[in-house]
Amino acid sequence: DPVFDDTLRHAMSVALGETPTIRIVSRERTAYALRLMRQPPGAHVAGEVARQVCRRVGADMVVAGDIAKVGEQFVLIAEATLCSSGAPLAQARATAEGKDRVLAALNRVAAGLRNELGEAPSQERNAASRVEDVTTADLGALQAFTLATDALAERKVMEAITLYTHAIDIDPGFALAHSRLGSTLAGLREWKRANQHRQRALELAEGLTERERFYLNATSRLGQGRAAEAEEILKVWARLYPGDRVPLGWLAVSHLNRGERTQAMSWGQAAVRIDPTPGTLVNLGAVYLNMGRLADARSVTEGLSEPGFRYLLAFLDGDASEMERQASGVPPGSVEELDMRAREAQAAMAAGRLRAGRQLVGRAETLGLQLGLLALTSQVLATHAVWESEVGDPRLA
């Protein structure tokens, strides 16, 4: 049944991850390990491949599961095994009376695994970690949300926005989908739309897990410019869930935005220690770049497919051939191309190639309008206006 594709994996991750003593390896880190193993991007992570990934990322165990339909019932089985030897650690199973009860059955399976692994959550926490409360009781909405999260990890930003929106269309009360959509839009400088979804998420916050409430409250305050309040929430979140990279990464970015580079570096390094994904590595690289530590920025992002960041490093190094290589590697018609053309325009203007800079800004503007990103496009044009004023063309400015 296609509705179960990746959905149950995400739901199990949520159910197990709500327990502070269990840390789930992120999808991005798994994908990075697969690349190092020369496995294709869509490789099925199961069996020996899963154990190899597990050992490569320094994890302890693999959880694998099956679902089967028996008449009108669905039977779910999950087993945790040591990645070093494949020896079984825990197993749990549950039966669902129909498709709409599969998520509830999965919660029982997750609870069984946690109990066998030595984690016995309190009744209050166990009630809060029901998957249908954590995200949505609608499998279709959960599937769209899962696909959106995966698309975002692969830098497919517009696809993620479409999928998060689809999840909300299916379940308008899906609070986390509203909040994640808001964060994604904020990354594109679409502040007005972002804050509308963040506000809607807060209105739907009743009954969510502790972790989700941290996410909703922190991102809402960041969107309102209340950075100090957001940082306090993020610090509590990081203390209660020490295996979660998200609050650490946000703390690094927040301190960097305020020019507090030493604190930003500390939080960025902590995020990388917990989960060295492309996102955490680039965040730390940005901190090093702002500190003038180009060698460290280059080293920490070595081997990553991050054209925008690597273009900037090549520009600072005066490496024209590497700039050209990175500039030509972005997907045409994408947000990544818009960002790259704006970077190229800045480099051209800085080198005195004004006509080329203006043409590149024009291309970025066209892309922005085609993608419907009006706020981001206006920022590109406003920045261009500053450049024109600096080179002494008030009419164009």
Side-chain angles (χ1 to χ4, degrees):
D1 189 328
V3 78
F4 293 136
D5 290 350
D6 261 356
T7 303
L8 299 185
R9 172 193 61 80
H10 177 81
M12 179 63 83
S13 296
V14 171
L16 291 177
E18 182 62 16
T19 303
T21 54
I22 295 177
R23 178 158 60 92
I24 308 298
V25 176
S26 68
R27 189 63 178 263
E28 301 98 313
R29 194 174 177 193
T30 300
Y32 187 52
L34 286 171
R35 285 201 300 273
L36 295 175
M37 291 164 58
R38 300 190 182 280
Q39 291 281 342
H44 187 51
V45 185
E48 182 57 31
V49 172
R51 283 192 290 275
Q52 286 185 36
V53 170
C54 187
R55 290 193 292 267
R56 187 177 284 268
V57 302
D60 299 312
M61 62 183 172
V62 173
V63 176
D66 285 302
I67 179 169
K69 190 175 184 184
V70 182
E72 294 303 312
Q73 294 182 327
F74 290 87
V75 179
L76 290 86
I77 301 174
E79 182 179 44
T81 57
L82 280 171
C83 67
S84 56
S85 64
L89 288 172
Q91 188 181 74
R93 63 180 291 156
T95 301
E97 300 290 339
K99 186 188 294 188
D100 61 341
R101 300 306 301 157
V102 165
L103 291 182
L106 187 138
N107 276 296
R108 297 195 296 274
V109 171
L113 287 180
R114 289 188 308 206
N115 287 334
E116 282 202 49
L117 292 168
E119 172 68 19
S122 68
Q123 187 173 8
E124 180 182 356
R125 181 177 289 279
N126 196 37
S129 65
R130 293 195 305 267
V131 174
E132 58 264 37
D133 289 341
V134 169
T135 51
T136 174
D138 191 297
L139 279 170
L142 181 56
Q143 183 186 38
F145 179 90
T146 302
L147 292 172
T149 303
D150 290 345
L152 207 55
E154 296 170 10
R155 301 294 192 269
K156 299 175 181 176
V157 181
M158 298 308 294
E159 182 179 330
I161 289 173
T162 300
L163 287 163
Y164 280 135
T165 303
H166 183 52
I168 292 167
D169 289 341
I170 297 172
D171 179 6
F174 196 165
L176 189 58
H178 277 287
S179 191
R180 289 279 182 86
L181 178 55
S183 295
T184 306
L185 289 168
L188 297 175
R189 308 296 192 269
E190 296 290 320
W191 303 116
K192 183 176 180 181
R193 291 164 60 196
N195 287 334
Q196 287 171 347
H197 285 286
R198 286 165 164 168
Q199 181 58 39
R200 183 58 183 147
L202 288 177
E203 294 167 0
L204 298 167
E206 186 176 355
L208 298 183
T209 65
E210 182 177 61
R211 224 170 186 171
E212 275 192 310
R213 290 196 299 272
F214 280 137
Y215 187 99
L216 267 61
N217 286 313
T219 189
S220 174
R221 283 164 174 76
L222 286 172
Q224 296 166 357
R226 296 155 64 184
E229 293 177 32
E231 286 170 10
E232 289 305 311
I233 294 169
L234 293 168
K235 287 173 184 176
V236 175
W237 180 359
R239 188 164 61 250
L240 292 178
Y241 294 90
D244 198 333
R245 76 175 192 274
V246 174
L248 303 176
W250 283 6
L251 281 163
V253 172
S254 184
H255 281 288
L256 183 60
N257 288 342
R258 295 223 303 265
E260 298 168 351
R261 296 167 181 171
T262 303
Q263 297 95 316
M265 183 177 68
S266 296
W267 290 113
Q269 289 172 336
V272 167
R273 282 195 298 271
I274 285 177
D275 201 0
T277 66
T280 57
L281 291 167
V282 169
N283 276 351
L284 181 57
V287 176
Y288 286 144
L289 202 60
N290 273 268
M291 298 176 80
R293 294 169 55 174
L294 298 189
D296 288 329
R298 199 176 297 109
S299 173
V300 80
T301 57
E302 189 66 39
L304 298 182
S305 177
E306 294 290 335
F309 192 82
R310 303 201 71 79
Y311 181 90
L312 179 56
L313 286 174
F315 170 73
L316 294 171
D317 288 337
D319 189 340
S321 61
E322 179 64 10
M323 289 167 65
E324 176 60 29
R325 192 174 75 83
Q326 294 297 335
S328 62
V330 293
S334 65
V335 174
E336 290 75 19
E337 189 192 355
L338 190 162
D339 175 71
M340 183 59 75
R341 300 304 163 248
R343 290 175 188 268
E344 285 186 289
Q346 185 173 17
M349 297 292 283
R353 295 185 289 112
L354 306 188
R355 182 178 299 175
R358 289 161 185 159
Q359 289 174 342
L360 287 161
V361 167
R363 173 59 181 162
E365 179 185 3
T366 299
L367 282 168
L369 294 174
Q370 288 174 348
L371 293 167
L373 300 173
L374 303 186
L376 182 57
T377 306
S378 70
Q379 185 175 41
V380 170
L381 294 174
T383 305
H384 183 215
V386 174
W387 298 339
E388 294 292 355
S389 69
E390 289 176 345
V391 298
D393 194 330
R395 183 186 59 83
L396 274 176

